[in-house]
């Protein structure tokens, strides 16, 4: 059954929760693919961007008393282990924090533009201002997409390393038992 929603964030959240309901770990890419599949035939078809999914998942796992969490880097799960892996960071800077701030900036740009359109000052809502806003918003949105892809790639690489380590451990265990 496709989740019904009047708002895009609500649709993304409900679709992600639907997939995670099975209690199994699901990669970020798998979640995005699932949500895009759920969007087919709805008013959200073709409108599921990776940065919006990441933002919804981040909110979902950070919500107080939520059963959802990160099983490991780039992998989300209902009733996930309570210890979250360390953030992807260099020194004190986290890519997750940068992405959060970039998404917040997009939201602030949208709010500012909306307020400026209602401003009686013609300089604030001119055609040139609208053109500049549209270009600026588009470029920032593209930057958020690239940050999301970057994080997803790092998370996928860590997942592959974790899987390879698990295979190596099984191989060690098997050779010791012979």
């Amino acid at each position: 059954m496709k989740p019904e929603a009047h708002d895009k964030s609500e649709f993304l959240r409900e679709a992600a929760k639907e997939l995670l309901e099975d209690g199994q770990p699901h990669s970020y890419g798998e979640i995005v693919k699932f949500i895009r599949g759920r969007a087919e035939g709805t008013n959200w078809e073709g409108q599921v961007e990776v940065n919006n999914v990441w933002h919804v998942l981040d909110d979902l796992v950070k919500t107080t008393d939520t059963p959802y969490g990160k099983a490991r880097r780039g992998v989300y799960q209902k009733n996930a282990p309570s210890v979250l892996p360390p953030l992807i960071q260099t020194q004190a800077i986290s890519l997750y924090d940068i992405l959060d701030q970039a998404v917040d900036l997009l939201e602030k740009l949208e709010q500012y533009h909306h307020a400026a359109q209602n401003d009686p000052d013609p300089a604030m809502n001119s055609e040139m201002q609208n053109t500049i806003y549209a270009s600026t918003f588009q470029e920032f949105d593209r930057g958020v997409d690239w940050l999301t892809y970057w994080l997803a790639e790092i998370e996928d690489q860590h997942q592959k390393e974790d899987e390879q380590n698990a295979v190596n451990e099984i191989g060690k265990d098997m050779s010791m038992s012979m």
Side-chain angles (χ1 to χ4, degrees), residues 147-176:
L147 278 169
T148 305
Y149 294 137
W150 186 9
L151 273 166
E153 182 62 32
I154 291 169
E155 290 176 348
D156 287 348
Q157 187 61 38
H158 283 291
Q159 181 180 355
K160 288 176 188 173
E161 290 171 9
D162 291 344
E163 289 169 358
Q164 185 59 47
N165 289 338
V167 167
N168 291 344
E169 287 298 316
I170 291 170
K172 276 189 208 175
D173 291 345
M174 291 179 71
S175 66
M176 293 177 127

Side-chain angles (χ1 to χ4, degrees), residues 56-150:
V56 165
L57 287 173
D58 189 53
D59 287 345
L60 191 62
V61 300
K62 287 182 178 177
T63 302
T64 307
D65 299 326
T66 183
Y68 304 98
K70 284 186 133 189
R72 57 187 178 274
R73 292 181 193 104
V75 178
Y76 299 83
Q77 182 178 5
K78 184 174 182 180
N79 300 320
S82 60
V83 179
L84 294 176
L87 296 176
I88 299 166
Q89 58 188 19
T90 303
Q91 299 165 357
I93 301 170
S94 161
L95 282 178
Y96 291 113
D97 292 338
I98 294 169
L99 181 60
D100 283 343
Q101 291 172 7
V103 170
D104 288 344
L105 181 58
L106 274 174
E107 291 170 0
K108 287 177 183 176
L109 277 170
E110 226 171 359
Q111 291 168 358
Y112 177 83
H113 180 66
H114 181 70
Q117 286 181 317
N118 296 323
D119 192 311
D121 181 357
M124 294 302 292
N125 57 23
S126 68
E127 186 62 35
M128 179 57 83
Q129 292 294 324
N130 289 331
T131 302
I132 292 169
Y133 162 76
S135 295
T136 303
F137 188 86
Q138 183 179 21
E139 291 302 317
F140 270 102
D141 192 45
R142 189 174 301 149
V144 168
D145 284 346
W146 279 108
L147 278 169
T148 305
Y149 294 137
W150 186 9

